[in-house]
Amino acid sequence: MPSFSEPAELNIPGLGYTLHQSWEHGRSWKLGPAYLVFEQSPALTTTRHDRCAPGLNHLAFHIETAERIDLLTTKARENGWTLLFPDRHPHAGGTHQHTAYLENRDGFEIELIAPEVTPSVPR
């Protein structure tokens, strides 16, 4: 993790994770029994995360509805996140799903994805 200048950066309003622990070189966020930990290595080799390098590409979060994804995307952008693939948004993951891919200033990407909507078949 290159920077902790924004301690609540993962906490996009409404995503549900809350800051759980904070220390000089790390943070953890919790939602129910699950938690995420980000820690800055004392042996950093770069100042920006490269999601195309070996390791973590992105984190995906299931969101209840497409409308909620739109709301979260707006709030994320207001908080400095960049919308990736804007020319294909909200179907960058395919026409069968509603998704938002967002990147923070350190290069970390998150995906917000709603359950697939199955077209109703007339009876």
Side-chain angles (χ1 to χ4, degrees):
M1 186 87 182
S3 167
F4 282 107
S5 60
E6 300 292 331
E9 200 166 336
L10 181 70
N11 193 21
I12 296 172
L15 191 56
Y17 283 80
T18 57
L19 188 62
H20 176 59
Q21 297 172 317
S22 180
W23 58 98
E24 184 180 358
H25 298 290
R27 305 279 186 275
S28 71
W29 288 266
K30 188 171 184 176
L31 177 62
Y35 62 95
L36 302 170
V37 176
F38 293 89
E39 192 167 23
Q40 184 181 48
S41 168
L44 282 178
T45 58
T46 185
T47 59
R48 184 168 164 79
H49 175 71
D50 180 359
R51 68 178 184 275
C52 296
L56 179 67
N57 180 274
H58 71 278
L59 295 174
F61 298 94
H62 287 257
I63 306 300
E64 304 85 15
T65 65
E67 293 78 18
R68 185 115 177 102
I69 286 178
D70 295 340
L71 175 66
L72 291 171
T73 299
T74 298
K75 289 184 178 189
R77 294 179 80 186
E78 290 170 356
N79 285 287
W81 290 73
T82 301
L83 179 65
L84 299 175
F85 321 113
D87 58 321
R88 294 184 279 154
H89 176 74
H91 301 290
T95 57
H96 63 289
Q97 59 190 15
H98 194 97
T99 57
Y101 294 90
L102 299 154
E103 182 180 56
N104 73 3
R105 64 184 172 79
D106 290 323
F108 284 92
E109 178 186 344
I110 63 170
E111 172 186 355
L112 306 177
I113 181 167
E116 284 190 38
V117 177
T118 307
S120 58
V121 178
R123 294 179 189 208

